[in-house]
Amino acid sequence: MRIIIVTIFLAITASIISCGYTKTEDDKFPNMAVFPESSNPEITIKPLKMKMYDMYSSNNATLFAAVNFFYDDGATGQYIMEMDNELNRIDSIPRHGDYFIAKNGNFYLEDENRNVVKYNNLKSEPHKIPTHPFHGKLYKDNLEKELKEKGAYALNKFPDSLHYEISRKIDSISYHKAADEFNKQVLTNLECVRDIGGKYLLTYPQNEFIIEEIPTPLWDENIGNRKRPYELLHKFDQCRQRDRFIIGDGKELIIKDKAVTANGSSGGNHFVPGTFYPKGYQYYEFNVNNETTQFKIFAEYVLAQKITSRNIPNTNTYLLDVKYERYDYDRSVTYIVRKE
């Protein structure tokens, strides 16, 4: 009996280890400052009232960023915002979904009705991007209707037992014709493509369109090795975005150490344990303007860096971004770092 119990215990232990369970330990630096506190009184880390996502520098010492702005009453507003290098707001326009800041300075985003609109600048009136005149799905549907009602593939000329095979043939014919027309009407003179909100922004020498309805086959095997229209669109160059996308390079902010203080679990049942993941503290060192500070933060998944940094070009201003976590329901914000 004892042998059986030991065997079961060893089997369970091996199963737990194989599912990612990590041996735990205590907080290695219990007295270290907890983010956003700083160990160096010369460096302050303060939250902004917003979460700053994509940031672009411009040619006139201003910044453009997609932000979620958090109001004092708990409301949230989404904007494309223009700021100076001190992050003071200059202007903004509301956004309701995806967006794109083009190389020529135009702003493209979704409005409250999910239309793609263009702003020449943040002070201009929005211009709705027209839908491309070629409607691939409607074109294919009309071809299918014509083939079913008349001609060699009219379904009423065949017994019911053949309708399925004839329908597949009709789908193949209508798809190939619609794809040919797509190549002719959509791809000719196309310069670049941009995916925005699940739609395609198409740029031509003299105009631009949004296209959503692209011909698709009902039975994929009928298209052989032919490239689908959406695959062909992705072969075109992406329309160029504005000047410089500001990202972190990891030079100023590094993780000096970690401590696994607990194990989270993705679930499981009575017979099979779930997958474990290590939780615990990340200990950071941040260097700014010849000054160094340290702080720690608790991470639900300690192996992935929770805090990243960005530097505003040509300034000594730094931003710290805290990543969302699966069980973190607080409103994550962007922090600004300053040397006193």
Side-chain angles (χ1 to χ4, degrees):
M1 183 67 179
R2 184 176 179 180
I3 295 176
I4 294 175
I5 294 174
V6 172
T7 302
I8 293 174
F9 173 78
L10 292 175
I12 293 174
T13 302
S15 177
I16 290 175
I17 293 174
S18 67
C19 291
Y21 185 86
T22 304
K23 182 180 178 181
T24 60
E25 57 192 326
D26 295 331
D27 181 356
K28 294 180 181 179
F29 303 98
N31 297 323
M32 182 179 287
V34 178
F35 183 85
E37 297 298 322
S38 167
S39 67
N40 187 338
E42 298 295 319
I43 296 176
T44 60
I45 304 172
K46 295 182 179 180
L48 299 170
K49 284 190 174 181
M50 54 189 165
K51 177 68 176 179
M52 301 180 68
Y53 296 96
D54 293 345
M55 294 183 65
Y56 299 80
S57 61
S58 67
N59 294 325
N60 55 355
T62 62
L63 306 171
F64 294 92
V67 306
N68 284 1
F69 189 87
F70 303 120
Y71 294 96
D72 293 336
D73 62 1
T76 302
Q78 294 184 324
Y79 303 95
I80 297 293
M81 190 174 291
E82 182 181 10
M83 296 165 284
D84 62 24
N85 284 336
E86 294 297 317
L87 303 185
N88 298 306
R89 177 186 173 276
I90 297 174
D91 210 339
S92 64
I93 53 176
R95 63 183 178 88
H96 301 271
D98 204 0
Y99 58 90
F100 169 57
I101 307 177
K103 178 69 176 178
N104 60 9
N106 290 332
F107 297 84
Y108 299 83
L109 47 87
E110 292 181 289
D111 65 12
E112 64 273 15
N113 298 314
R114 311 300 291 182
N115 297 313
V116 176
V117 296
K118 177 176 73 173
Y119 291 81
N120 296 117
N121 56 68
L122 297 193
K123 291 181 171 59
S124 68
E125 291 296 318
H127 168 69
K128 180 181 176 182
I129 304 299
T131 300
H132 198 286
F134 178 75
H135 192 296
K137 186 177 184 302
L138 181 61
Y139 188 90
K140 180 175 181 291
D141 289 346
N142 288 337
L143 287 174
E144 289 180 359
K145 183 178 180 181
E146 182 178 349
L147 290 169
K148 290 177 181 179
E149 291 180 350
K150 58 185 178 181
Y153 292 99
L155 290 180
N156 57 6
K157 294 183 180 182
F158 295 90
D160 291 342
S161 60
L162 293 179
H163 275 207
Y164 176 75
E165 293 300 327
I166 297 302
S167 293
R168 293 166 67 93
K169 185 66 175 178
I170 288 174
D171 175 67
S172 179
I173 293 172
S174 60
Y175 171 75
H176 284 289
K177 288 186 176 181
D180 288 338
E181 198 63 26
F182 172 88
N183 293 347
K184 178 181 176 181
Q185 294 195 36
V186 177
L187 299 187
T188 302
N189 296 323
L190 181 61
E191 292 184 339
C192 65
V193 176
R194 189 76 190 188
D195 189 341
I196 179 168
K199 312 174 185 70
Y200 291 99
L201 172 66
L202 310 179
T203 299
Y204 298 89
Q206 301 299 326
N207 48 35
E208 54 193 355
F209 297 102
I210 286 293
I211 191 166
E212 298 180 69
E213 300 294 345
I214 297 174
T216 57
L218 184 60
W219 288 285
D220 284 359
E221 65 266 26
N222 289 336
I223 69 171
N225 294 323
R226 181 169 189 166
K227 295 291 185 182
R228 296 172 176 81
Y230 77 87
E231 292 176 309
L232 295 175
L233 284 177
H234 282 283
K235 287 183 174 295
F236 279 82
D237 290 336
Q238 287 279 299
C239 299
R240 296 180 65 190
Q241 62 187 14
R242 185 153 189 158
D243 305 321
R244 190 152 76 93
F245 183 57
I246 302 172
I247 59 175
D249 57 16
K251 292 181 179 179
E252 302 88 7
L253 182 69
I254 58 175
I255 297 180
K256 298 291 288 186
D257 207 345
K258 302 183 183 74
V260 178
T261 60
N263 282 274
S265 174
S266 61
N269 55 43
H270 295 296
F271 305 100
V272 180
T275 300
F276 293 97
Y277 55 90
K279 304 162 64 171
Y281 287 101
Q282 296 174 341
Y283 305 98
Y284 289 86
E285 182 175 279
F286 187 63
N287 298 285
V288 53
N289 304 339
N290 298 318
E291 291 282 350
T292 299
T293 187
Q294 295 178 334
F295 49 78
K296 65 183 177 182
I297 191 169
F298 186 84
E300 282 287 343
Y301 185 64
V302 76
L303 299 182
Q305 185 165 336
K306 185 172 181 178
I307 305 177
T308 55
S309 66
R310 289 181 284 182
N311 172 237
I312 305 303
N314 304 315
T315 75
N316 289 320
T317 300
Y318 291 84
L319 302 178
L320 296 180
D321 299 292
V322 180
K323 293 183 179 178
Y324 287 105
E325 293 185 319
R326 69 180 79 187
Y327 302 118
D328 182 5
Y329 297 104
D330 294 332
R331 297 194 303 181
S332 180
V333 300
T334 298
Y335 293 78
I336 185 168
V337 181
R338 297 190 187 278
K339 181 181 175 182
E340 298 297 332

